[in-house]
Amino acid sequence: GLGDGIDAIEVFAAARREDRAALEVLHTEARYIAYAVASVTALFDPQRVILGGGIGQNLDMLRDGIQETLNEITPLPARIEAGTLGPSAVLKGAAAIGIETAQEIVFTKRVGEISKL
């Protein structure tokens, strides 16, 4: 109902202007996020779940819907909080994993070379 080529930033902006279609999209997305969170909490039983990126930045628009759905579908709903890394949380996490993996490869190779001496 929002048209083609609309991205998440525009949906959140429209919802903040109280656009009915955008608010419905966020309501639906909050339910989807809640189901994903419930799946994770069923396995790990955390006390809180941190949502980052664009979702975390706009958690004020989603939190109530997420929490409401969690309360409906799970007996152990975790507290939902926004991450502090901002919109590039995924990129920062991927970069950190890449650096860690590269260090492990280099270290393993160096240790292997030294042990051959």
Side-chain angles (χ1 to χ4, degrees):
L2 294 172
D4 294 332
I6 303 293
D7 64 14
I9 293 170
E10 293 170 303
V11 172
F12 282 113
R16 289 187 190 286
R17 293 189 306 271
E18 298 186 16
D19 178 280
R20 196 177 295 242
L23 290 168
E24 184 59 35
V25 167
L26 292 187
H27 176 75
T28 300
E29 287 304 312
R31 290 190 65 79
Y32 290 149
I33 293 167
Y35 279 98
V37 169
S39 297
V40 171
T41 58
L43 294 172
F44 300 108
D45 191 23
Q47 291 182 351
R48 64 182 165 172
V49 173
I50 308 298
L51 299 175
I55 292 172
Q57 279 190 303
N58 293 285
L59 192 57
D60 62 311
M61 303 280 307
L62 297 164
R63 182 183 282 116
D64 290 345
I66 293 170
Q67 204 68 61
E68 180 180 304
T69 301
L70 283 173
N71 291 340
E72 292 172 9
I73 65 175
T74 181
L76 303 170
R79 190 171 75 228
I80 306 299
E81 295 182 16
T84 59
L85 296 177
S88 59
V90 173
L91 179 60
K92 290 176 183 177
I97 290 171
I99 290 168
E100 182 179 313
T101 301
Q103 288 173 335
E104 288 176 11
I105 290 169
V106 169
F107 180 73
T108 301
K109 184 177 179 183
R110 282 262 168 100
V111 169
E113 289 172 358
I114 292 171
S115 66
K116 289 180 184 177
L117 299 176

